[in-house]
Amino acid sequence: MRVDSKQRIPGRRNFLKKSALAGGAAMLGAAGLNQISPWIWHQPLELQSNGSFWARSQPPWNPKLTEDLTVDVAVIGGGFTGLSCAYFLRCVSPQKSVVVLEARGCGNGASGRNGAMVLTMTADRYMNFSSDPSLDKRIYDLTAENIRFLAKLSTATGIDCELETHGALQVLDSNDDIGAAKAYVQRARSLGMPVELWDAPRVADAVGTSVYRGGFYDPNGGQVHPMKLVHVLKAAAQNAGARIYESTTVESVEQGREHLLRTDDGHRVRAKSLVLATNAYTPRLGFLRNSVLPLREYVAVTRPFSEQELMEIGWRQRVPYNDSRTEVFYLGLTQDRRIHIGGGTPRYSFNNRPSDSEVAHSHVSQLQRELSRLYPKLSGVAFEQDWDGFIDWSLDASPDVGCAGRHSNIFYGIGYSGHGVNLSSLFGRIIADLEAGRGEPWRQYPFVNNLLYYVPNEPMRWIAAQAGIALS
């Protein structure tokens, strides 16, 4: 359901909009194939191991499920959404039994592979006002408060997730971007949002590159060690009484008043409520297949730099940043002074098949060229590690959290579109309230039970994605 309109669709959102238009055109000539496609191209459940820099800090794996269970709530997926949801479920409904089933180790997916930026707002409203600015302000306050909640939860568990809230920066590439950002900042500040417009010299002084014309600065944003945040949420969920089983793949779900989940080892889990916390992998379980476009992202990290080297590079403030182009790049600093960079050309693999080594090498080379463009002094510095993974983009970059199923007992969060590090834990909280029948206060927000734009099946999906890239 579209409840309002957006004023501007920059960067990658423009690519996705073009993909949607191209997909619609393709569907007009291939509607029949679109209907039977899921039976022709069945999506395999291939879960690649997390080979990211962050994975070095993955919490120890729990034992796998070795028995049949009957529980109140079964959560599939041990990432930010699933772990936060398990925590909040136990806080809201301590009398209910909650189990988390993770196919590999917690944080194996996007939660443990991302670019580490912690952003306010939802992706569709970041630097964009809708037709209801007062609602935009409430969403800003809600997401800023959630970042503060994560900091408190980190303290409560005694696990340092390296959450830094020194702000986040979107650097601007063109005069049009500067004009749009100036108009946005003026209106946002009139509503009480403490955002700023930085000129080119201030951006250069902060992050050491002079290639940008300016920047949009949000003091409530920041950065985090993603896998250490996974550790925080896992500990919080277990401390609250949730049971977490890892190395436990759910192969099928039989829906009903009581769901029946079957694992790869033949065990059965019966649950009154089901939570789908599987991000871009959700369609592989037979749910929300036409809601998101799984895009493959690539990230790489350098060796550690000394304080002196960072000063010579010119990166003086610990502020992560992303640019405003279609080929979005995003960068940040780890606490041991490594530079990590991700993004580049959007890539969609036919039927979500694994990326081959040649494609991966091409994308990593693109990241190397961009890093050298931004920081010429780093042109000879090789990456120490690189990795990839899926993120779930909706066609207009709006997210969706809600309830589905014939018996209204299937809950989900999806479509984070690059804002999932912060938004996913907030959605875990919303899911817990919806499951407990306490969802009314959340219904004011447009992302609750939002009907996302339709994404066609293969091969129209692949055709639309390629057309969107070509038109961008």
Side-chain angles (χ1 to χ4, degrees):
M1 180 182 298
R2 301 263 68 81
V3 295
D4 57 6
S5 59
K6 311 300 186 299
Q7 295 178 333
R8 178 172 168 264
I9 304 181
R12 189 162 295 184
R13 272 170 275 171
N14 193 40
F15 150 69
L16 291 164
K17 183 182 179 185
K18 289 174 179 176
S19 295
L21 293 173
M27 285 176 62
L28 288 176
L33 182 56
N34 181 62
Q35 292 299 315
I36 65 173
S37 172
W39 287 270
I40 300 175
W41 291 286
H42 183 71
Q43 292 188 19
L45 187 63
E46 296 182 16
L47 302 171
Q48 296 172 299
S49 297
N50 187 335
S52 72
F53 170 75
W54 316 120
R56 303 177 186 183
S57 301
Q58 189 173 31
W61 289 23
N62 288 10
K64 66 193 305 181
L65 181 67
T66 57
E67 61 180 342
D68 293 349
L69 293 177
T70 298
V71 296
D72 292 304
V73 186
V75 180
I76 305 177
F80 294 151
T81 305
L83 295 173
S84 64
C85 180
Y87 166 73
F88 283 112
L89 281 165
R90 288 288 301 170
C91 292
V92 170
S93 305
Q95 77 283 4
K96 292 183 178 179
S97 53
V98 178
V99 63
V100 177
L101 306 173
E102 164 57 42
R104 296 190 66 84
C106 288
N108 185 71
S111 297
R113 306 181 190 221
N114 57 71
M117 292 185 74
V118 187
L119 302 173
T120 61
M121 301 299 284
T122 54
D124 57 327
R125 292 168 188 265
Y126 195 70
M127 286 185 62
N128 288 277
F129 276 110
S130 72
S131 58
D132 186 352
S134 63
L135 176 59
D136 299 331
K137 173 60 164 58
R138 292 199 298 276
I139 294 173
Y140 179 85
D141 290 341
L142 178 67
T143 51
E145 187 278 330
N146 193 66
I147 296 174
R148 294 190 289 272
F149 160 77
L150 292 175
K152 293 176 183 177
L153 191 63
S154 176
T155 300
T157 60
I159 299 169
D160 180 11
C161 63
E162 301 178 14
L163 177 60
E164 300 179 17
T165 52
H166 306 309
L169 186 65
Q170 176 161 313
V171 289
L172 307 169
D173 297 281
S174 68
N175 288 333
D176 286 345
D177 288 338
I178 292 290
K182 182 178 181 180
Y184 179 85
V185 168
Q186 289 176 343
R187 194 172 188 185
R189 292 184 68 85
S190 72
L191 292 168
M193 298 163 65
V195 296
E196 301 172 9
L197 180 66
W198 286 7
D199 60 18
R202 188 170 182 183
V203 170
D205 184 66
V207 296
T209 179
S210 58
V211 305
Y212 299 110
R213 297 177 181 270
F216 166 78
Y217 173 72
D218 179 3
N220 280 308
Q223 58 189 345
V224 73
H225 189 302
M227 193 62 84
K228 291 184 179 181
L229 179 56
V230 168
H231 200 169
V232 167
L233 293 170
K234 181 179 180 181
Q238 292 186 139
N239 292 344
R243 286 176 288 171
I244 300 174
Y245 295 96
E246 296 173 82
S247 301
T248 302
T249 302
V250 175
E251 289 198 328
S252 67
V253 176
E254 185 178 317
Q255 303 178 47
R257 292 189 182 277
E258 183 182 68
H259 305 294
L260 175 60
L261 286 62
R262 293 183 174 88
T263 72
D264 58 340
D265 283 346
H267 294 295
R268 299 185 175 194
V269 177
R270 298 183 183 276
K272 297 174 184 176
S273 295
L274 172 66
V275 177
L276 301 169
T278 41
N279 201 268
Y281 293 96
T282 305
R284 300 183 183 191
L285 287 169
F287 297 93
L288 304 172
R289 183 184 180 96
N290 301 111
S291 295
V292 292
L293 187 69
L295 293 182
R296 187 179 292 276
E297 292 280 292
Y298 294 82
V299 188
V301 66
T302 67
R303 64 169 175 82
F305 295 108
S306 67
E307 289 281 6
Q308 181 61 35
E309 286 176 312
L310 271 188
M311 291 299 294
E312 292 174 358
I313 293 168
W315 199 326
R316 296 179 178 86
Q317 287 187 229
R318 294 191 57 83
V319 177
Y321 67 94
N322 65 279
D323 64 31
S324 56
R325 295 177 292 171
T326 299
E327 296 184 354
V328 176
F329 290 94
Y330 40 87
L331 296 91
L333 285 173
T334 64
Q335 287 202 344
D336 63 350
R337 298 181 298 277
R338 301 169 187 267
I339 295 177
H340 54 87
I341 178 173
T345 305
R347 177 167 178 79
Y348 174 74
S349 300
F350 185 87
N351 207 35
N352 302 346
R353 66 190 177 194
S355 178
D356 59 49
S357 58
E358 183 177 343
V359 170
H361 178 74
S362 173
H363 278 266
V364 173
S365 296
Q366 186 184 32
L367 296 178
Q368 188 73 66
R369 290 193 300 271
E370 180 66 9
L371 186 64
S372 298
R373 183 181 79 91
L374 298 174
Y375 302 102
K377 290 182 179 180
L378 298 181
S379 58
V381 175
F383 291 130
E384 185 175 285
Q385 196 168 350
D386 61 80
W387 63 94
D388 64 7
F390 286 114
I391 61 172
D392 58 339
W393 278 87
S394 64
L395 291 183
D396 66 347
S398 65
D400 182 15
V401 57
C403 175
R406 293 189 303 274
H407 304 288
S408 300
N409 59 353
I410 300 175
F411 303 87
Y412 62 90
I414 202 166
Y416 297 124
S417 303
H419 281 234
V421 175
N422 183 25
L423 205 58
S424 52
S425 56
L426 173 61
F427 278 18
R429 175 183 168 193
I430 294 173
I431 291 170
D433 279 342
L434 292 175
E435 199 280 333
R438 304 184 352 170
E440 191 57 36
W442 296 111
R443 302 194 191 284
Q444 63 177 299
Y445 296 104
F447 43 72
V448 176
N449 289 317
N450 181 23
L451 181 62
L452 299 178
Y453 286 126
Y454 184 87
V455 180
N457 294 316
E458 302 293 9
M460 287 69 68
R461 177 178 299 193
W462 184 86
I463 293 170
Q466 303 312 306
I469 292 172
L471 292 170
S472 298

